[in-house]
Amino acid sequence: DQQVKQNSPSLSVQEGRISILNCDYTNSMFDYFLWYKKYPAEGPTFLISISSIKDKNEDGRFTVFLNKSAKHLSLHIVPSQPGDSAVYFCAASEENAGGTSYGKLTFGQGTILTVHP
Amino acid sequence: DADVTQTPRNRITKTGKRIMLECSQTKGHDRMYWYRQDPGLGLQLIYYSFDVKDINKGEISDGYSVSRQAQAKFSLSLESAIPNQTALYFCATSDLGRGIGELFFGEGSRLTVL
């Protein structure tokens, strides 16, 4: 059973517009969430994270929103750039006492983002 | 040089052969992981190790074994490879002491089992 789901396999956006990538989870024990970006022939790289004590975390053009009651999070990229074209993975974990991820992540299937010039 | 290095990067083998994928890291992290990626399934955790004396099974450990030879080295073995183990394999490290806990991935090892 897929505990973390990214229901959109792909998303196509025009340069300068907003990209919104969605993620749903079913395990109520998850309380720390991360987004990774992956380019072809490379490993995933960390993008941004959010703890369940927050509902929003922002880092430059990237903002992650968390709706715990709906078990839903989203990644907003504004403005989108062609270099953002990649596969985006949502991941979830249980927090440890220090307020960070245990590091044992459950990943979604990924969404391929294409940003057109 | 990459902080997390995987060898080989590509390998084609036959059913029944023993395969070892190796991972070494220069990040000084205690925690190491092996994930596999299949199309449409994302990344799934095979094994993880929180220190040299600690080995834990992940979601899909059947058919795999691991060895943590040192803090910096974590290898994944397929004792008798089968075609449905054809996948992209990633090694990763993490360091809780850093306060974020995200994983740092290697570039991947593409394995094809014929």
Side-chain angles (χ1 to χ4, degrees):
Chain A
D1 183 34
Q2 195 88 20
Q3 297 185 69
V4 178
K5 296 181 181 179
Q6 295 174 254
N7 292 317
S8 297
S10 63
L11 176 67
S12 183
V13 172
Q14 205 69 29
E15 181 178 7
R17 300 289 189 106
I18 184 171
S19 295
I20 300 176
L21 297 99
N22 293 304
C23 179
D24 297 294
Y25 62 96
T26 57
N27 188 341
S28 58
M29 297 300 292
F30 289 149
D31 51 13
Y32 192 82
F33 305 91
L34 308 90
W35 284 93
Y36 283 81
K37 179 169 70 173
K38 183 184 179 304
Y39 292 118
E42 295 183 11
T45 55
F46 170 75
L47 193 56
I48 193 170
S49 64
I50 188 167
S51 169
S52 60
I53 62 173
K54 296 183 176 181
D55 55 15
K56 176 183 174 181
N57 189 26
E58 193 170 355
D59 183 3
R61 296 186 297 112
F62 302 91
T63 303
V64 56
F65 295 92
L66 175 63
N67 182 334
K68 281 193 68 179
S69 61
K71 293 189 176 68
H72 176 84
L73 64 156
S74 61
L75 174 68
H76 292 211
I77 306 174
V78 183
S80 301
Q81 299 173 354
D84 295 329
S85 297
V87 180
Y88 288 78
F89 291 100
C90 169
S93 177
E94 296 176 36
E95 261 187 16
N96 63 18
T100 62
S101 165
Y102 273 112
K104 191 162 66 78
L105 302 181
T106 300
F107 283 83
Q109 310 95 309
T111 296
I112 302 170
L113 174 65
T114 304
V115 180
H116 299 283
Chain B
D1 288 341
D3 294 322
V4 183
T5 303
Q6 294 182 228
T7 55
R9 295 291 311 278
N10 287 283
R11 182 72 183 268
I12 299 174
T13 190
K14 294 182 178 180
T15 297
K17 294 290 189 181
R18 183 177 188 275
I19 295 295
M20 179 181 287
L21 305 179
E22 298 184 330
C23 177
S24 62
Q25 53 115 345
T26 58
K27 300 190 74 67
H29 290 169
D30 288 326
R31 300 188 171 196
M32 298 188 73
Y33 311 78
W34 277 103
Y35 283 87
R36 68 176 272 178
Q37 184 189 3
D38 297 277
L41 290 180
L43 283 81
Q44 296 174 281
L45 182 61
I46 307 172
Y47 270 96
Y48 61 103
S49 169
F50 282 177
D51 64 44
V52 174
K53 297 180 181 179
D54 176 78
I55 301 289
N56 303 282
K57 292 182 177 181
E59 306 167 67
I60 54 165
S61 59
D62 287 348
Y64 301 95
S65 62
V66 291
S67 174
R68 185 81 184 265
Q69 300 94 325
Q71 187 210 30
K73 295 185 181 295
F74 192 37
S75 60
L76 176 72
S77 294
L78 289 68
E79 296 301 326
S80 179
I82 56 177
N84 75 0
Q85 291 178 313
T86 294
L88 184 56
Y89 290 85
F90 288 102
C91 175
T93 72
S94 71
D95 178 14
L96 281 183
R98 208 171 162 273
I100 297 178
E102 79 266 23
L103 301 180
F104 296 84
F105 285 87
E107 294 180 317
S109 296
R110 185 169 295 281
L111 176 65
T112 303
V113 183
L114 302 177

